[in-house]
Amino acid sequence: MDRMKKQAERNRDAAKVLRSRGKDEAAARAEARADDLESGRVTDVTDTVIGLYRWAQGR
């Protein structure tokens, strides 16, 4: 869950930069993505993917 919160924070920072450059639509998409990450609607599968990759590599 920490990964999701960190990524949501990065998305909000990116939205601020985008908004300062006049790209309001892109900023809104970044903020919506941050909301999704914080809400729990997005599943963190990083550990599963890493495990599958290691299994496929024979480790």
Side-chain angles (χ1 to χ4, degrees):
M1 193 63 172
D2 290 335
R3 289 180 193 140
M4 302 300 232
K5 289 181 181 179
K6 287 180 185 178
Q7 186 60 47
E9 185 178 320
R10 288 185 201 126
N11 281 23
R12 292 196 192 286
D13 291 341
K16 290 177 187 175
V17 171
L18 289 167
R19 192 159 275 118
S20 72
R21 295 179 180 171
K23 298 183 178 186
D24 294 331
E25 188 175 320
R29 285 194 307 265
E31 288 176 345
R33 180 66 176 160
D35 290 341
D36 286 344
L37 290 168
E38 289 177 338
S39 72
R41 290 181 286 212
V42 178
T43 306
D44 183 10
V45 295
T46 304
D47 295 330
T48 303
V49 171
I50 290 170
L52 287 171
Y53 177 78
R54 287 182 179 160
W55 173 79
Q57 293 297 314
R59 293 182 187 181

Coordinates of all heavy atoms in Angstrom, one line a residue:
M1 N 0.8 -1.2 0.0 CA 0.0 0.0 0.0 C 0.9 1.3 0.0 O 0.5 2.3 -0.5 CB -0.9 0.0 1.2 CG -2.0 1.0 1.2 SD -3.1 0.7 -0.3 CE -4.3 1.8 0.0
D2 N 2.1 1.2 0.6 CA 2.9 2.3 0.6 C 3.3 2.7 -0.8 O 3.5 3.9 -1.1 CB 4.2 2.1 1.4 CG 3.9 2.0 2.9 OD1 2.9 2.6 3.3 OD2 4.7 1.3 3.6
R3 N 3.5 1.7 -1.7 CA 3.9 2.1 -3.1 C 2.7 2.9 -3.8 O 3.0 3.8 -4.5 CB 4.0 0.8 -3.9 CG 5.3 0.0 -3.6 CD 5.4 -1.2 -4.4 NE 6.4 -2.1 -4.0 CZ 6.3 -3.4 -3.9 NH1 5.2 -4.0 -4.3 NH2 7.2 -4.2 -3.4
M4 N 1.5 2.5 -3.5 CA 0.4 3.2 -4.1 C 0.3 4.6 -3.5 O 0.0 5.5 -4.3 CB -0.9 2.5 -3.7 CG -0.9 1.0 -4.2 SD -0.7 1.0 -6.0 CE -2.0 -0.1 -6.4
K5 N 0.5 4.8 -2.3 CA 0.5 6.2 -1.7 C 1.6 7.0 -2.3 O 1.4 8.2 -2.6 CB 0.5 6.1 -0.2 CG -0.7 5.6 0.5 CD -0.6 5.6 2.0 CE -1.8 5.0 2.6 NZ -1.7 5.0 4.1
K6 N 2.8 6.5 -2.4 CA 3.9 7.2 -3.0 C 3.6 7.6 -4.4 O 3.9 8.7 -4.9 CB 5.2 6.4 -2.9 CG 5.7 6.3 -1.5 CD 7.0 5.5 -1.5 CE 7.5 5.3 -0.1 NZ 8.7 4.4 0.0
Q7 N 3.1 6.7 -5.2 CA 2.8 7.0 -6.6 C 1.6 8.0 -6.7 O 1.7 8.9 -7.6 CB 2.4 5.7 -7.3 CG 2.2 5.9 -8.8 CD 3.4 6.5 -9.5 OE1 4.5 5.9 -9.3 NE2 3.3 7.5 -10.3
A8 N 0.7 7.9 -5.8 CA -0.4 8.9 -5.8 C 0.2 10.3 -5.5 O -0.2 11.3 -6.2 CB -1.5 8.6 -4.8
E9 N 1.1 10.4 -4.6 CA 1.8 11.7 -4.3 C 2.5 12.2 -5.5 O 2.5 13.4 -5.8 CB 2.7 11.5 -3.1 CG 3.4 12.8 -2.6 CD 4.3 12.5 -1.4 OE1 3.9 11.7 -0.6 OE2 5.3 13.1 -1.4
R10 N 3.2 11.3 -6.2 CA 4.0 11.7 -7.4 C 3.0 12.2 -8.5 O 3.3 13.2 -9.2 CB 4.8 10.5 -7.9 CG 6.0 10.2 -7.1 CD 6.8 9.1 -7.8 NE 7.6 8.4 -6.8 CZ 7.6 7.1 -6.6 NH1 6.9 6.3 -7.3 NH2 8.4 6.6 -5.6
N11 N 1.8 11.5 -8.6 CA 0.9 12.0 -9.6 C 0.3 13.3 -9.3 O 0.1 14.2 -10.2 CB -0.3 11.0 -9.7 CG 0.1 9.7 -10.5 OD1 1.2 9.4 -10.6 ND2 -0.9 9.0 -11.0
R12 N 0.1 13.6 -8.0 CA -0.4 14.9 -7.6 C 0.7 16.0 -7.9 O 0.3 17.1 -8.3 CB -0.8 14.9 -6.1 CG -2.0 14.1 -5.9 CD -2.7 14.3 -4.6 NE -3.7 13.3 -4.3 CZ -4.9 13.2 -4.9 NH1 -5.2 14.1 -5.8 NH2 -5.7 12.3 -4.5
D13 N 1.9 15.7 -7.6 CA 3.0 16.6 -7.9 C 3.1 16.9 -9.4 O 3.2 18.0 -9.9 CB 4.3 16.1 -7.4 CG 4.5 16.1 -5.9 OD1 3.7 16.8 -5.2 OD2 5.3 15.3 -5.4
A14 N 2.9 15.8 -10.2 CA 2.9 16.0 -11.7 C 1.8 16.9 -12.1 O 1.9 17.7 -13.0 CB 2.9 14.6 -12.3
A15 N 0.6 16.7 -11.5 CA -0.6 17.5 -11.8 C -0.3 19.0 -11.6 O -0.7 19.8 -12.4 CB -1.8 17.0 -11.0
K16 N 0.4 19.3 -10.5 CA 0.7 20.7 -10.2 C 1.6 21.3 -11.3 O 1.3 22.4 -11.7 CB 1.4 20.8 -8.8 CG 0.5 20.5 -7.7 CD 1.3 20.6 -6.4 CE 0.4 20.1 -5.2 NZ 1.2 20.1 -3.9
V17 N 2.6 20.5 -11.7 CA 3.5 21.0 -12.8 C 2.7 21.2 -14.1 O 2.8 22.2 -14.8 CB 4.6 20.0 -13.0 CG1 5.5 20.4 -14.2 CG2 5.5 20.0 -11.7
L18 N 1.9 20.2 -14.4 CA 1.1 20.3 -15.6 C 0.1 21.5 -15.6 O 0.0 22.2 -16.6 CB 0.3 19.0 -15.8 CG 1.1 17.8 -16.2 CD1 0.2 16.5 -16.1 CD2 1.6 17.9 -17.7
R19 N -0.5 21.7 -14.5 CA -1.4 22.8 -14.4 C -0.6 24.2 -14.5 O -1.1 25.1 -15.1 CB -2.1 22.8 -13.0 CG -3.3 23.7 -13.0 CD -4.4 23.4 -12.0 NE -5.3 22.4 -12.5 CZ -5.5 21.2 -12.1 NH1 -4.9 20.8 -11.0 NH2 -6.4 20.4 -12.6
S20 N 0.6 24.2 -14.0 CA 1.4 25.5 -14.1 C 1.8 25.7 -15.5 O 2.1 26.8 -15.9 CB 2.6 25.4 -13.2 OG 3.6 24.5 -13.7
R21 N 1.8 24.7 -16.3 CA 2.1 24.8 -17.7 C 0.9 25.0 -18.6 O 1.0 25.0 -19.9 CB 2.9 23.6 -18.2 CG 4.3 23.4 -17.5 CD 5.0 22.2 -18.0 NE 6.3 22.1 -17.3 CZ 7.1 21.1 -17.4 NH1 6.8 20.1 -18.1 NH2 8.2 21.1 -16.7
G22 N -0.3 25.1 -18.0 CA -1.5 25.3 -18.7 C -2.1 24.1 -19.3 O -3.0 24.2 -20.2
K23 N -1.7 22.9 -18.9 CA -2.3 21.7 -19.4 C -3.3 21.1 -18.3 O -3.0 20.1 -17.7 CB -1.2 20.7 -19.6 CG -0.2 21.2 -20.7 CD 0.9 20.2 -21.0 CE 1.8 20.7 -22.1 NZ 2.7 19.7 -22.6
D24 N -4.4 21.8 -18.3 CA -5.4 21.4 -17.3 C -6.0 20.0 -17.5 O -6.3 19.3 -16.5 CB -6.5 22.5 -17.2 CG -6.0 23.8 -16.8 OD1 -5.1 23.9 -16.0 OD2 -6.6 24.9 -17.2
E25 N -6.2 19.6 -18.7 CA -6.8 18.3 -19.0 C -5.9 17.2 -18.5 O -6.3 16.2 -17.9 CB -7.1 18.2 -20.4 CG -7.9 16.9 -20.8 CD -8.3 16.9 -22.2 OE1 -8.7 17.9 -22.8 OE2 -8.3 15.8 -22.8
A26 N -4.6 17.3 -18.8 CA -3.7 16.3 -18.4 C -3.5 16.3 -16.9 O -3.4 15.2 -16.3 CB -2.3 16.6 -19.0
A27 N -3.6 17.5 -16.3 CA -3.5 17.6 -14.8 C -4.7 16.9 -14.2 O -4.6 16.2 -13.1 CB -3.5 19.0 -14.4
A28 N -5.9 17.0 -14.7 CA -7.1 16.4 -14.2 C -7.0 14.9 -14.3 O -7.4 14.2 -13.4 CB -8.3 16.9 -15.0
R29 N -6.4 14.4 -15.4 CA -6.2 12.9 -15.5 C -5.2 12.4 -14.5 O -5.4 11.4 -13.9 CB -5.7 12.6 -16.9 CG -6.7 12.7 -18.0 CD -6.3 12.0 -19.3 NE -5.0 12.5 -19.8 CZ -4.8 13.5 -20.7 NH1 -5.9 14.1 -21.2 NH2 -3.6 13.9 -21.1
A30 N -4.1 13.2 -14.2 CA -3.1 12.8 -13.2 C -3.8 12.7 -11.8 O -3.5 11.8 -11.0 CB -2.0 13.7 -13.2
E31 N -4.6 13.7 -11.5 CA -5.3 13.7 -10.2 C -6.3 12.6 -10.1 O -6.5 12.0 -9.0 CB -6.0 15.1 -10.0 CG -4.9 16.2 -9.7 CD -5.6 17.6 -9.6 OE1 -6.7 17.7 -10.0 OE2 -4.9 18.5 -9.1
A32 N -7.0 12.3 -11.2 CA -7.9 11.2 -11.2 C -7.2 9.9 -10.9 O -7.7 9.0 -10.2 CB -8.7 11.2 -12.5
R33 N -6.1 9.7 -11.5 CA -5.3 8.5 -11.3 C -4.8 8.4 -9.9 O -4.8 7.4 -9.3 CB -4.0 8.5 -12.3 CG -3.2 7.3 -12.1 CD -3.8 6.1 -12.6 NE -2.9 5.0 -12.5 CZ -3.2 3.7 -12.5 NH1 -4.5 3.4 -12.5 NH2 -2.3 2.8 -12.4
A34 N -4.4 9.6 -9.3 CA -4.0 9.6 -7.9 C -5.2 9.2 -7.0 O -5.0 8.4 -6.0 CB -3.5 11.0 -7.5
D35 N -6.4 9.7 -7.3 CA -7.6 9.3 -6.6 C -7.8 7.8 -6.6 O -8.1 7.2 -5.6 CB -8.8 10.0 -7.1 CG -8.8 11.5 -6.7 OD1 -8.0 11.9 -5.8 OD2 -9.5 12.3 -7.4
D36 N -7.7 7.2 -7.8 CA -7.8 5.8 -8.0 C -6.8 5.0 -7.2 O -7.2 4.0 -6.5 CB -7.7 5.4 -9.5 CG -8.9 5.8 -10.3 OD1 -9.9 6.1 -9.8 OD2 -8.7 5.8 -11.5
L37 N -5.6 5.4 -7.2 CA -4.5 4.8 -6.4 C -4.8 4.8 -4.9 O -4.6 3.8 -4.2 CB -3.2 5.4 -6.7 CG -2.6 5.1 -8.1 CD1 -1.4 6.0 -8.3 CD2 -2.2 3.7 -8.3
E38 N -5.3 5.9 -4.4 CA -5.6 6.1 -3.0 C -6.8 5.3 -2.6 O -7.0 4.9 -1.4 CB -5.7 7.5 -2.6 CG -4.3 8.2 -2.7 CD -4.4 9.7 -2.4 OE1 -5.5 10.3 -2.6 OE2 -3.4 10.3 -2.0
S39 N -7.8 5.2 -3.5 CA -9.0 4.6 -3.1 C -9.0 3.1 -2.9 O -9.9 2.5 -2.3 CB -10.1 4.9 -4.2 OG -9.8 4.2 -5.4
G40 N -8.0 2.4 -3.5 CA -7.9 1.0 -3.4 C -8.5 0.3 -4.6 O -8.5 -0.9 -4.7
R41 N -8.9 1.0 -5.6 CA -9.5 0.4 -6.8 C -8.4 -0.2 -7.7 O -8.7 -1.0 -8.6 CB -10.3 1.4 -7.6 CG -11.6 1.9 -6.9 CD -12.3 2.8 -7.8 NE -11.6 4.1 -7.7 CZ -12.2 5.3 -7.8 NH1 -13.5 5.4 -7.9 NH2 -11.5 6.4 -7.7
V42 N -7.2 0.2 -7.5 CA -6.1 -0.3 -8.3 C -5.3 -1.3 -7.4 O -5.0 -1.0 -6.2 CB -5.1 0.9 -8.7 CG1 -4.0 0.3 -9.5 CG2 -5.9 1.9 -9.6
T43 N -5.0 -2.4 -7.9 CA -4.3 -3.5 -7.1 C -2.8 -3.4 -7.4 O -2.4 -3.4 -8.6 CB -4.9 -4.9 -7.5 OG1 -6.3 -4.8 -7.3 CG2 -4.3 -5.9 -6.6
D44 N -2.1 -3.5 -6.3 CA -0.6 -3.6 -6.5 C -0.2 -5.0 -6.7 O -0.3 -5.8 -5.8 CB 0.1 -3.0 -5.2 CG 1.6 -2.9 -5.3 OD1 2.1 -3.2 -6.5 OD2 2.2 -2.7 -4.3
V45 N 0.3 -5.3 -7.9 CA 0.7 -6.7 -8.2 C 2.2 -6.8 -8.4 O 2.7 -7.8 -9.0 CB -0.1 -7.2 -9.5 CG1 -1.6 -7.3 -9.2 CG2 0.2 -6.3 -10.7
T46 N 2.9 -5.8 -8.0 CA 4.4 -5.8 -8.2 C 5.1 -7.0 -7.7 O 5.9 -7.7 -8.4 CB 5.0 -4.5 -7.5 OG1 4.3 -3.4 -8.0 CG2 6.5 -4.4 -7.8
D47 N 4.8 -7.4 -6.4 CA 5.4 -8.6 -5.9 C 5.0 -9.9 -6.6 O 5.9 -10.8 -6.8 CB 5.0 -8.8 -4.4 CG 5.5 -7.6 -3.5 OD1 6.6 -7.1 -3.9 OD2 4.9 -7.3 -2.5
T48 N 3.8 -10.0 -7.1 CA 3.4 -11.1 -7.9 C 4.2 -11.2 -9.2 O 4.6 -12.3 -9.6 CB 1.9 -11.1 -8.2 OG1 1.2 -11.0 -6.9 CG2 1.4 -12.3 -8.9
V49 N 4.3 -10.1 -9.9 CA 5.0 -10.0 -11.2 C 6.5 -10.4 -11.0 O 7.0 -11.2 -11.7 CB 4.8 -8.7 -11.8 CG1 5.7 -8.5 -13.0 CG2 3.4 -8.4 -12.2
I50 N 7.1 -9.9 -9.9 CA 8.5 -10.2 -9.7 C 8.6 -11.7 -9.4 O 9.6 -12.3 -9.9 CB 9.0 -9.3 -8.5 CG1 9.1 -7.9 -8.9 CG2 10.3 -9.8 -8.0 CD1 9.4 -6.9 -7.8
G51 N 7.7 -12.2 -8.6 CA 7.8 -13.7 -8.3 C 7.6 -14.5 -9.6 O 8.4 -15.5 -9.8
L52 N 6.7 -14.1 -10.5 CA 6.6 -14.9 -11.7 C 7.8 -14.8 -12.6 O 8.2 -15.7 -13.2 CB 5.3 -14.4 -12.5 CG 4.0 -14.7 -11.9 CD1 2.9 -14.0 -12.6 CD2 3.8 -16.2 -12.0
Y53 N 8.4 -13.6 -12.6 CA 9.6 -13.4 -13.4 C 10.7 -14.2 -12.9 O 11.4 -14.9 -13.7 CB 10.0 -11.9 -13.4 CG 11.3 -11.6 -14.2 CD1 11.3 -11.6 -15.5 CD2 12.5 -11.5 -13.5 CE1 12.4 -11.3 -16.2 CE2 13.6 -11.2 -14.2 CZ 13.6 -11.1 -15.5 OH 14.8 -10.9 -16.2
R54 N 10.9 -14.3 -11.6 CA 12.0 -15.1 -11.0 C 11.7 -16.6 -11.3 O 12.6 -17.3 -11.5 CB 12.1 -14.8 -9.5 CG 12.7 -13.4 -9.3 CD 12.9 -13.2 -7.8 NE 13.5 -11.9 -7.6 CZ 13.5 -11.2 -6.5 NH1 12.8 -11.7 -5.4 NH2 14.0 -10.1 -6.4
W55 N 10.5 -17.0 -11.2 CA 10.1 -18.4 -11.4 C 10.5 -18.7 -12.9 O 11.0 -19.8 -13.2 CB 8.7 -18.6 -11.2 CG 8.2 -20.0 -11.6 CD1 8.3 -21.1 -10.9 CD2 7.5 -20.3 -12.8 NE1 7.8 -22.2 -11.6 CE2 7.3 -21.7 -12.8 CE3 7.1 -19.6 -13.9 CZ2 6.6 -22.3 -13.8 CZ3 6.5 -20.2 -14.9 CH2 6.3 -21.6 -14.9
A56 N 10.1 -17.8 -13.8 CA 10.4 -18.0 -15.2 C 11.9 -18.1 -15.5 O 12.3 -18.8 -16.4 CB 9.7 -17.0 -16.1
Q57 N 12.7 -17.4 -14.7 CA 14.1 -17.3 -14.9 C 14.8 -18.5 -14.2 O 16.0 -18.7 -14.4 CB 14.7 -16.0 -14.4 CG 14.3 -14.8 -15.1 CD 14.8 -14.8 -16.6 OE1 15.9 -15.2 -16.8 NE2 13.9 -14.5 -17.5
G58 N 14.0 -19.3 -13.5 CA 14.6 -20.5 -12.8 C 15.3 -20.2 -11.5 O 16.2 -21.0 -11.1
R59 N 15.0 -19.1 -10.9 CA 15.6 -18.8 -9.6 C 14.9 -19.4 -8.4 O 13.8 -19.4 -8.3 CB 15.8 -17.3 -9.4 CG 16.7 -16.7 -10.4 CD 16.8 -15.2 -10.2 NE 17.6 -14.7 -11.3 CZ 17.9 -13.4 -11.4 NH1 17.5 -12.6 -10.4 NH2 18.6 -12.9 -12.4

